[in-house]
């Protein structure tokens, strides 16, 4: 099972681009990489998911190199409301439809005015 | 997407008692998950609850301590039995409507304090 490592905390300012990198050296062939955002007293919220190369949606981009041993979540032009904990998740359903989920410890992002 | 509600939102319980947490989904979903999250910590999967089959528990969690029911495709309960202060945590349920993908939708959580 893959283990994920990400920075414990990051600081940024409004309007800046923030990049959070997650290391998952032992990622399996059938693992997807997913990022979640969590605000205090709420459940995590899906941000983006990818398998390889680059994925972009309306809120973020996810960069995955060819070896897939890391991934970088990119948040363009952050605002104060982006202050949250960001989790890197690696896991997938296996052939027996059993799910193994591996959550990172999370990166606490603080966006300052 | 899916909208999930949990009851209760929080509770304070006495040692040795049990608490049942309810999770209601606004659509039919096969896969439902129960997590535990200590304050300031990451999520730990307790079990996977698929309708029509027994719940599958992760290492370190047992059915006698955390019995789960999944009577239909929109509802599940998790019971925390014979509670101790170590069970104080946030309990979250989630669903994965897409099945084969990791995208999950989470409930708001139940904050449990055991005295």
């Amino acid at each position: 099972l893959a283990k994920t490592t990400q920075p414990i905390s990051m600081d940024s300012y409004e309007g800046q681009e923030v990049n959070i990198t997650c290391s998952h050296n032992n990622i399996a062939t059938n693992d997807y990489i997913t990022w979640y955002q969590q605000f205090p007293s709420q459940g995590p919220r899906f941000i983006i998911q990818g398998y390889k190369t680059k994925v972009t949606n309306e809120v973020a981009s996810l960069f995955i190199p060819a070896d897939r041993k890391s991934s970088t979540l990119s948040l363009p032009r952050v605002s104060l409301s982006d202050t949250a904990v960001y989790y890197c998740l690696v896991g997938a359903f296996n052939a027996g439809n059993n799910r193994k989920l591996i959550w990172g410890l999370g990166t606490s992002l603080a966006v300052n005015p | 997407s899916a909208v999930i509600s949990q009851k209760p939102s929080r509770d304070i319980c006495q040692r040795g008692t049990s608490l049942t947490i309810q999770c209601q989904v606004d659509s039919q979903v096969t896969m439902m998950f129960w997590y535990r999250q200590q304050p300031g910590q990451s999520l730990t999967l307790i079990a996977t609850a698929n309708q029509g089959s027994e719940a599958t528990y992760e290492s370190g969690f047992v059915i006698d301590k955390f019995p789960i029911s999944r009577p239909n495709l929109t509802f599940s309960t998790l019971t925390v039995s014979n509670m101790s202060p170590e069970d104080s945590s946030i309990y979250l349920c989630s669903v994965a409507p897409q099945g084969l993908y990791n995208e999950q939708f989470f409930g708001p959580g139940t904050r449990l304090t055991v005295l």
Side-chain angles (χ1 to χ4, degrees):
Chain A
L1 296 178
K3 175 183 177 181
T4 61
T5 304
Q6 54 186 119
I8 299 242
S9 63
M10 295 182 68
D11 279 281
S12 184
Y13 293 91
E14 285 189 289
Q16 289 189 335
E17 177 184 79
V18 171
N19 296 308
I20 306 174
T21 297
C22 179
S23 174
H24 28 78
N25 291 321
N26 297 319
I27 189 169
T29 302
N30 60 344
D31 280 349
Y32 283 78
I33 301 157
T34 312
W35 286 80
Y36 286 83
Q37 175 191 57
Q38 187 176 29
F39 298 111
S41 301
Q42 295 185 24
R45 185 177 69 175
F46 173 87
I47 301 175
I48 198 166
Q49 181 183 70
Y51 185 80
K52 62 181 179 180
T53 63
K54 177 184 176 182
V55 180
T56 297
N57 61 22
E58 63 275 11
V59 298
S61 294
L62 178 60
F63 298 92
I64 305 169
D67 65 5
R68 303 197 332 117
K69 294 188 176 186
S70 66
S71 59
T72 299
L73 174 72
S74 181
L75 305 172
R77 298 180 298 281
V78 295
S79 64
L80 296 177
S81 63
D82 292 315
T83 294
V85 178
Y86 293 81
Y87 290 100
C88 168
L89 170 62
V90 177
F93 293 99
N94 61 22
N97 206 32
N98 296 312
R99 187 180 184 92
K100 292 299 179 185
L101 303 173
I102 305 166
W103 289 71
L105 295 180
T107 296
S108 180
L109 173 65
V111 180
N112 302 292
Chain B
S1 65
V3 177
I4 303 169
S5 59
Q6 287 185 233
K7 291 182 181 179
S9 59
R10 60 178 61 224
D11 206 343
I12 300 173
C13 301
Q14 296 296 320
R15 181 195 299 261
T17 63
S18 297
L19 175 72
T20 295
I21 303 168
Q22 299 179 8
C23 180
Q24 180 74 51
V25 189
D26 69 341
S27 58
Q28 294 185 338
V29 290
T30 300
M31 304 197 72
M32 184 175 286
F33 307 94
W34 285 98
Y35 288 86
R36 183 171 70 183
Q37 185 175 30
Q38 303 282 356
Q41 301 298 315
S42 187
L43 279 72
T44 301
L45 181 65
I46 297 172
T48 300
N50 292 338
Q51 198 273 334
S53 62
E54 296 291 325
T56 302
Y57 290 83
E58 297 299 309
S59 177
F61 298 96
V62 295
I63 187 172
D64 290 345
K65 176 67 175 177
F66 298 100
I68 289 171
S69 78
R70 186 76 202 276
N72 56 53
L73 290 172
T74 62
F75 187 78
S76 178
T77 66
L78 170 76
T79 299
V80 186
S81 303
N82 189 25
M83 289 183 287
S84 66
E86 291 71 33
D87 294 319
S88 297
S89 189
I90 299 169
Y91 292 85
L92 298 134
C93 67
S94 76
V95 298
Q98 299 296 325
L100 291 176
Y101 300 94
N102 285 346
E103 181 173 359
Q104 298 173 69
F105 298 89
F106 284 83
T110 295
R111 182 179 293 270
L112 170 63
T113 302
V114 184
L115 303 177

